[in-house]
Every structure is written in C-alpha cells, then in structure tokens.
Amino acid sequence: MKKMIMKSIELLIVEDCENELAACRDSIERYQNQRQLLIELTPCQSVEDAFSSLNNSFDAAIIDLKLGEDGNEGFRITRKIEEQNLRIPIAILTGTPDLVDTDNAYIGIYKKGESNAAYEKLFDMFFEIYDTGLTRIMGNRGKIEEHLTKVFEKNLLPQLKTWKKYGKDNSPKTEKALLRYTLNHMLRLLDEDTDEFFPEEVYLFPPLISRIHTGSIVEDKNLKEALSFYMVMNPACDLIVRCNGEPKADRILLVKIEQEQGIVDQAVSEIKNTGKKRSRLKQVFGNNFTDYYHWLPRTDFFPGGFVNFRHICTFSKEKFDQQFKEPTIQISPSYVKDIVARFSGFYARQGQPDIKSDASVEKYNTID
C-alpha cells in the first residue's frame, strides 16, 4: 500500500508568555490528530530570538506585539520581515487590536487572551494559503528561485561578455534590460506546463503603476446607478509620459465593456435546445461568437463583461481625468496583446465585392 504523505507547514510563533506558548502547542497537537496535518513549530520568546530564526522557510508567523516594556516590540519583527523580503503571511496578537494599522499586510489581527479559540481558525487559514502554493512560490525554496537559478546558469552567465559591454556603456539601462530579459525567460519556463489559466491571471490588480497604459480598465465616475467600465486602447507608445508629465497622445481612446448578462441573453435568446445552448455559450466565452466582442472574466474585484470593439470613444486628457476614475485594474500583458490584435483585425478587415460566380458554380455542381 502506498504511504500517504502528510502535508506540513513551518510555523513561527513569537510569544514571551509561557502559558500562551503552551496553549499554542496544545492546539497544534489536537489539530494534527484531528486533521492529519503536520505543523512544525519554531517558538521564539524575544525579538533577538526571532531575528536569529527568521528565514524564508516559514509558511506563516504568529507575532505577539508586546514582548517587553514598550508594548510594540513585535513591530520590530514585522519590519525586519519586510526589510529582508521574506514574504511570510503574518497573524498579529495584541491586547489592543483597534490600534494596529490595518493597511499592513497582515492576514489577521487577534486580541490577546482570546487566541485559544483563534488557533484552529488560524491553522485552517495557514493550510489554505499553503494549498495555493504561495509560500512555496515566493519563498527561497520555491519555483521562482528554482527558475531564477536556471536562467542565471544557462542564459546569463554564458552571455556575460555581451552584458558587461552593455553595462560599461550604460549601467542603469543594462540592469533594466537584464531584468526584462530574465522575466521573459521566466515566463517562458512557467508557460510550458500550463494548459488552463484562472480568471485572476487576466488582470493585474491592483496595478503597481497608477498611470494609464494600454489595457487599463477605467470606470466612469459620473454614473452613480450602474457600473460603467471602459478599456484604454491607445498604442503603448502614445501613452508614454513626456517631460511635461503628459502622454504623447492628445486623445485617450476607449472601448466600452458591456455587461455580461446582456451579451449572453442576446446570444441565446432564440435557442431552446440545451445542447445547442451550451454550444453557443462555449462560442461566446471562447471569443468565437462575433469579431467585435471579447470576453473579460468575472473576479471578486471586477464584474467582467465583453469589450465591444464597435463602441469606441475618445477624450482629451483633461476631459478623461474629469470623467473617469484612476485605473485600479490593468489587463496583463499577454492578454492585452490578444485584445489589441483582435481590435486591429476587426478594423483592418476589408472584404471584397461579390464576383459573379454562377458559371463556376454550375461547372462544378454536376453529378458524376
């Protein structure tokens, strides 16, 4: 019989109270027995202990903010984690949860003394995060590090002669070029074993650069009753910001994103057979229904819809800024290229006049 391998996470807890540590250990023992899941605990009772234990091997951390007289010693540890780019999901224990800055990347803030009841929920959350692969990807034992090593050894080192020459001429530009070059290799490695993408991969949310780009999704702020989204379609070169802080383009080109339900209703309105309806819906959501609709999937942060290439409008930069909110969603580069290609193809199509073909039809429309 094949031996079952238990899932295991590495958990750091920083807590100076022996009773609290004992409660955590007891909760772990019960949890492991009930769930057949393994939690490897690393306990630290001071800031110094935590500093010496910190590394990228942890899947999660529980940090008590009060580890001494000042009451906020735990923040020294969270700052250290951030400074070292360790990317560990953190849950905070504190006697004053209302005073903790919720803008920080904590996965939970729990009141001290009530943590016994919270441990099981925390462990569930940690394993749910583990199942996404997040800590394995972002940690130094994950896929990103594995692929970076491969690119470094197989692509960058053999070409150092060329890159050194570029670096001598312009070091800052060469560093950016190396980053792009590395990311291109990384994307190729990651795309090799992917056969289906999740809806969230279509978007960058929230975008880390606030200015508009090709594929930025913007919302009309003047419509109060219904959501109204548009996609920016200017060529990328026209949106580059010049020295005066304005883009090269004097007009912002937008295409309307129609609500999903209306397009679906239109596509299947006259179909009664469920098999034919399913077939039509596959066409609709596979972008094979028309040349002028392109489906954008729904996510928790975006209602989705269909880009309508026939519904276009332009605004001066001043009018655009007045009418639309700052973009909070950006379509990711590979999907932008596909949408731009379909948009260009839709408006580049020419067709030809009908040629009289009766004679040719009759010539071949014979019975052998």
Side-chain angles (χ1 to χ4, degrees):
M1 182 180 293
K2 188 175 180 180
K3 186 177 180 181
M4 182 179 294
I5 300 175
M6 292 177 64
K7 281 192 291 188
S8 173
I9 63 170
E10 294 193 31
L11 172 62
L12 172 72
I13 183 168
V14 185
E15 173 60 70
D16 61 350
C17 175
E18 287 289 353
N19 290 337
E20 194 69 40
L21 282 176
C24 181
R25 291 190 180 98
D26 291 342
S27 297
I28 287 175
E29 185 175 351
R30 287 194 303 272
Y31 190 87
Q32 290 181 148
N33 291 334
Q34 293 169 359
R35 307 295 181 90
Q36 297 301 300
L37 299 169
L38 185 62
I39 300 175
E40 297 182 15
L41 185 68
T42 299
C44 298
Q45 294 185 274
S46 67
V47 173
E48 291 71 25
D49 287 346
F51 282 178
S52 63
S53 298
L54 281 176
N55 58 59
N56 245 341
S57 68
F58 293 106
D59 296 289
I62 300 173
I63 298 176
D64 178 15
L65 291 187
K66 183 174 173 54
L67 299 169
E69 297 302 322
D70 294 338
N72 287 321
E73 294 82 3
F75 283 132
R76 291 177 57 195
I77 302 168
T78 61
R79 283 195 296 269
K80 191 75 168 180
I81 290 172
E82 183 179 347
E83 290 167 2
Q84 294 185 357
N85 293 316
L86 295 181
R87 302 181 291 271
I88 302 171
I90 299 171
I92 293 292
L93 292 180
T94 175
T96 54
D98 294 339
L99 300 181
V100 179
D101 185 0
T102 55
D103 289 337
N104 286 310
Y106 306 135
I107 63 170
I109 301 169
Y110 299 90
K111 188 170 183 179
K112 196 73 177 289
E114 298 176 357
S115 52
N116 286 359
Y119 279 128
E120 184 170 333
K121 291 182 179 178
L122 273 174
F123 300 155
D124 281 341
M125 189 188 309
F126 293 153
F127 274 104
E128 287 169 2
I129 294 171
Y130 176 85
D131 284 339
T132 69
L134 177 66
T135 52
R136 297 191 297 282
I137 290 171
M138 302 304 287
N140 62 9
R141 65 206 188 282
K143 282 291 184 183
I144 289 180
E145 293 295 327
E146 178 186 325
H147 288 327
L148 277 175
T149 299
K150 187 178 293 186
V151 172
F152 178 73
E153 293 178 349
K154 302 294 185 183
N155 301 105
L156 299 182
L157 287 182
Q159 299 177 37
L160 269 182
K161 182 178 179 180
T162 300
W163 288 108
K164 285 192 294 184
K165 183 170 61 176
Y166 294 146
K168 186 175 181 180
D169 293 338
N170 192 317
S171 178
K173 282 190 176 181
T174 303
E175 184 176 343
K176 288 184 179 179
L178 264 180
L179 178 58
R180 290 193 300 267
Y181 183 78
T182 300
L183 290 175
N184 286 336
H185 279 288
M186 294 277 286
L187 288 171
R188 176 57 60 196
L189 285 168
L190 293 170
D191 283 346
E192 278 299 301
D193 57 356
T194 302
D195 57 356
E196 190 174 48
F197 290 80
F198 292 100
E200 285 72 15
E201 295 180 79
V202 176
Y203 311 104
L204 303 178
F205 173 80
L208 300 181
I209 300 175
S210 60
R211 71 177 180 86
I212 60 170
H213 293 76
T214 311
S216 291
I217 294 176
V218 294
E219 184 180 354
D220 191 330
K221 59 187 175 185
N222 296 325
L223 294 178
K224 306 296 183 183
E225 296 182 358
L227 297 176
S228 184
F229 291 99
Y230 291 78
M231 175 179 166
V232 176
M233 288 297 299
N234 293 73
C237 58
D238 282 354
L239 296 174
I240 293 174
V241 177
R242 297 178 295 186
C243 297
N244 64 358
E246 296 296 325
K248 178 181 176 182
D250 62 347
R251 307 286 293 182
I252 306 301
L253 173 63
L254 301 176
V255 290
K256 183 80 166 63
I257 300 174
E258 307 284 1
Q259 293 185 19
E260 184 177 286
Q261 189 65 57
I263 307 304
V264 171
D265 291 344
Q266 171 190 332
V268 300
S269 60
E270 298 181 0
I271 301 176
K272 305 301 181 184
N273 181 278
T274 55
K276 290 182 179 180
K277 188 173 183 180
R278 180 184 295 275
S279 178
R280 174 59 61 84
L281 289 171
K282 284 187 176 181
Q283 287 182 325
V284 170
F285 293 111
N287 289 321
N288 295 313
F289 176 50
T290 70
D291 292 334
Y292 50 84
Y293 285 140
H294 188 98
W295 179 53
L296 297 176
R298 177 188 299 271
T299 65
D300 288 342
F301 52 80
F302 179 55
F306 287 83
V307 179
N308 185 352
F309 297 151
R310 297 191 302 182
H311 190 152
I312 61 176
C313 49
T314 65
F315 295 84
S316 68
K317 186 62 168 62
E318 182 182 3
K319 290 286 187 182
F320 174 83
D321 290 339
Q322 290 174 0
Q323 184 159 340
F324 294 93
K325 300 177 183 178
E326 286 193 359
T328 57
I329 305 169
Q330 168 73 39
I331 298 177
S332 59
S334 57
Y335 290 94
V336 167
K337 290 178 182 177
D338 183 37
I339 296 172
V340 169
R342 293 195 69 212
F343 177 77
S344 303
F346 178 70
Y347 282 102
R349 72 198 194 287
Q350 296 296 321
Q352 68 172 24
D354 289 338
I355 301 173
K356 185 173 176 58
S357 58
D358 292 350
S360 296
V361 170
E362 293 302 323
K363 176 181 178 180
Y364 291 102
N365 186 28
T366 58
I367 299 174
D368 294 333

